[in-house]
Amino acid sequence: MDGNIKSKWDELIQPGLVHGSLYYDEAIFKEEVEKIWFRTWVYIGHESEIPNKNDFVTKSIGPMPVLMVRDSNGDIQLLLNRCPHRGNAVCVQEKGNRARFTCPYHSWTFSNTGDLINYAFPEGYKGTDKSQLGLGKVTRVTNYRGFIFGSMAAEGPTLEEHLGGAKRCLDQLCDNSPTGEIEISAGFLQHRTRANWKFILENECDGYHPAFVHSSIFSVSDSAIGDLYGNEAVAVTRSFGYGHVEVDPRPEFRRRDAPLSWFGTTAERLPDYVKQMEENYGPDRARQIMIDGTPHTMIFPNLFIAEIQIFVIQPVSANESIQHSTAIQFKGAPDINRRLRQQTMGSVGPAGFLLADDTEMYERNQRGLEIRQPEYLYLKRGEHRERRDEDGYLIAHSTDDMPSREIWKHYRQMMEAK
Amino acid sequence: MNDAAEIAGPDILKEWVGQPRVYEKSFNPELYHEVQQFIFREARLQDIHDYDAWEALWTDDALYWVPANGTDTDPERQMSLIYDNRSRIALRIRQLKTGRRHSQTPPSQLARVISNFEFLKSDSDDIRVMCNAQIFETNLRGDTMWASRNEYTLRRVEGELKIAYKKVVLINNNKAIYTLSFLV
Ligand code: FES
Ligand SMILES: [Fe+2]
């Protein structure tokens, strides 16, 4: 055998270079669905979206819809919305509250734990084992601090192993709530874009673009985000492995040493929130939490925690994706929650001051790849200044391409796995 | 005089606009004409991206609301596509005018048709009117059709009609939609 024959992935993904076809080839997209979306842990939704027994909401794993249900016992189930009979949808509502799902085609009825309860005209199924005819389910389900993740693979790392160092970011987020809990209760903006999902993923921790893509809004508002991504910025990017990356602005906020500066406000303007924080964490810890603020972390492959909002990235096809975005709400903290919603509504979604323009960029990138030269995208910015932090994680300047390189490293491992 | 029950619209009206609304049965044709002309002018200013002239149509206490996920959401609790008070309308316009609002550089080419005007009952001097809009947009991405039911509260300020409230209910606002960065 010739040891020099390279795998397809050696060709497509090289250090700091990725081939354009990775973003538009439908065959590669199909392979990603099998090897990434149906294998790894995927963020599904938050438990607060289905607070009551029998609540359900439609979510997804890659292009496949998933029903996230709080069943009649109060447990969370991830059911597949496909009738085991001939494949009809057992539920066509996006969300609601019901204990049973009846398929409209031949009236098979399922409990919200997914079990087949009965079928119409049962005489025709004499001797049939009903227990084998329940709804399909997402194979593994794990709840971390209210965040529900699912994996279609029976085997593989546990969710905690998969999250690794990125778990700190979920903790950091929840700690900013005086009750230690967040809620996803404001409904999602659903933003469709004619671009590959990986352009969205890479953009989330791309600190190189804000100064240019968002200069329009930075120049007419008093947003302080711009400072985090300048040439002089002290914020860093970090990779946790497994494709999880963050922009960590804490060095900048610690330099400022002012609680709630991360949120562009002051302790005096949110007195109730500050009081609750101090009561629950003690003054010192509360002060540190409020200086550090919330994370800016992309959890591979689809959950982006963007300081005050979350984005859930849903791939539709090689050339089409949906960004679902909503404000994070801190349980029991109404005075900050209104500002979180107002700021989120201004920034994200189809009409948002920020995301409309990010999305315009992905779409132009996608069309750009129709032009076949040069064949590769260039992701080498800051290669020479990568370094390790005290925990051994790779860090780089906030404007460097390191997060993209790390996403592609993990992507390649997943795609090469048998 | 008719009582409210008699002139109440069908239930579908509540579904359309999210609030119990009552159509005005009789009205002044001159006012009807004036209101139509005003809203046609607003549509033209939006289509040609005359940002300053459009911004000048609003009252100081204006509210510009484009809900998401249905018609009867509570904008104080739920996410909306747009939920702008007067100062956020001004910010939206300032961003567009930088020339670096990339999703509007080059600007969308637009033609909209506004129709089906009907007055709603109003318990003040404010004029309340419903209409439908259909907008054809073409931009770098391609062609997109938008359709909405619009509800206005208009007010006469120093003799001129102004917009105090505009709610734009996109017919497909429960689905994933493309970028919407022109003035809707
Ligand atoms: S397809 Fe569902 S009952 Fe026949
Ligand atoms: Fe951005």
Side-chain angles (χ1 to χ4, degrees), chain A residues 185-192 194 212-213 215-217 219-220 320 326 338 341-342 344-346 350-353 357 359 361 363-364 367, chain B residues 68-69 75-83 88 91-92 94-95 98 100-106 140-141 174-181:
Chain A
S185 53
F188 281 85
L189 297 179
Q190 304 174 71
H191 193 174
R192 184 177 282 278
R194 205 163 283 169
F212 318 107
V213 173
S215 74
S216 63
I217 194 68
S219 69
V220 296
E320 187 104 358
T326 191
R338 182 169 195 282
R341 286 194 306 270
Q342 287 300 117
T344 296
M345 272 191 275
F353 296 138
D357 293 335
T359 302
M361 294 300 121
E363 292 183 344
R364 292 187 192 181
R367 291 194 297 274
Chain B
N69 301 311
E76 287 294 335
R77 305 238 138 257
Q78 301 295 116
M79 297 292 293
S80 295
L81 294 156
I82 294 175
Y83 186 52
R88 199 168 265 187
L91 180 60
R92 196 170 290 281
R94 286 208 302 280
Q95 185 188 26
T98 62
R100 299 187 308 275
R101 171 62 156 165
H102 299 285
S103 49
Q104 280 301 310
T105 315
L140 294 177
R141 186 197 322 103
N174 61 333
K175 295 197 175 159
I177 58 173
Y178 288 122
T179 293
L180 177 67
S181 60

Side-chain angles (χ1 to χ4, degrees), chain A residues 83-90 103-110 125:
Chain A
C83 181
H85 184 217
R86 301 229 197 129
N88 215 291
V90 297
C103 177
Y105 198 4
H106 310 93
S107 211
W108 287 22
T109 296
F110 305 87
Y125 290 116

